[in-house]
Amino acid sequence: MIDSKQQTDKGMKKTLFLSFFMLLSLSMSAQSSKTTETRRDAYGNIIGTVETTTDSRGNQQTVYKDKYGHITGRSSSRTDGRGCTTTTYRDPYGNMTGSSTTRTNQKRTETIYKDRYGHITGSSNSQTSGKTTTTTYKDRYGHVTGTSTTR
């Protein structure tokens, strides 16, 4: 005969095993990916690196480093359900230095840049036609400060 203490021990072992199995399966599905990009100047000299980690929900954490490996800044990006991406930029000490909000429609991307106080400092609009993307940059007053075209 099995007494109630042995039944309780078996039940607890089963519960513990199932809990461990569920925790293991959850941790496997919540993995992140990491990419490292090396920045070079016009002569090919390394000037720094950019390390981006993307979690399972698509949120990104980016660390910017100089050529000596010292952190020069960080950024974190989050995309909401409407497709708007908000990026917050921070200095090496964790102080917010600015932010940007990007909205993307079919062939058009609009980004608004703000300083640490929330004041608009500029914007950019990109339009894609075929394989050509034209980006127009504007200052806080809406005056065009530059354009670029990629093919």
Side-chain angles (χ1 to χ4, degrees), residues 79-137:
T79 303
D80 65 12
R82 299 177 313 211
C84 292
T85 301
T86 302
T87 304
T88 304
Y89 304 95
R90 299 188 180 276
D91 66 12
Y93 309 105
N95 303 314
M96 187 176 114
T97 58
S99 65
S100 66
T101 303
T102 302
R103 292 183 188 95
T104 302
N105 297 350
Q106 294 165 345
K107 293 185 178 187
R108 183 182 171 121
T109 301
E110 178 187 33
T111 303
I112 298 173
Y113 304 96
K114 296 182 180 180
D115 63 12
R116 71 179 71 202
Y117 307 109
H119 302 130
I120 295 175
T121 58
S123 65
S124 67
N125 288 298
S126 298
Q127 287 188 272
T128 302
S129 176
K131 294 183 179 181
T132 303
T133 301
T134 303
T135 305
T136 304
Y137 302 94

Side-chain angles (χ1 to χ4, degrees), residues 13-101:
K13 286 179 183 178
K14 284 182 182 178
T15 304
L16 185 62
F17 177 74
L18 288 173
S19 298
F20 177 73
F21 181 73
M22 288 178 63
L23 183 64
L24 183 66
S25 65
L26 282 173
S27 67
M28 289 177 69
S29 66
Q31 293 184 0
S32 60
S33 66
K34 187 176 190 177
T35 59
T36 302
E37 178 183 334
T38 302
R39 299 284 182 145
R40 297 181 183 273
D41 64 10
Y43 303 104
N45 301 318
I46 295 174
I47 58 173
T49 59
V50 178
E51 237 175 50
T52 302
T53 305
T54 306
D55 67 14
S56 61
R57 295 182 302 269
N59 299 326
Q60 292 183 334
Q61 303 293 324
T62 304
V63 178
Y64 304 91
K65 295 181 182 179
D66 64 11
K67 64 181 176 181
Y68 304 108
H70 301 125
I71 295 174
T72 59
R74 297 176 185 271
S75 69
S76 59
S77 299
R78 304 201 185 296
T79 303
D80 65 12
R82 299 177 313 211
C84 292
T85 301
T86 302
T87 304
T88 304
Y89 304 95
R90 299 188 180 276
D91 66 12
Y93 309 105
N95 303 314
M96 187 176 114
T97 58
S99 65
S100 66
T101 303

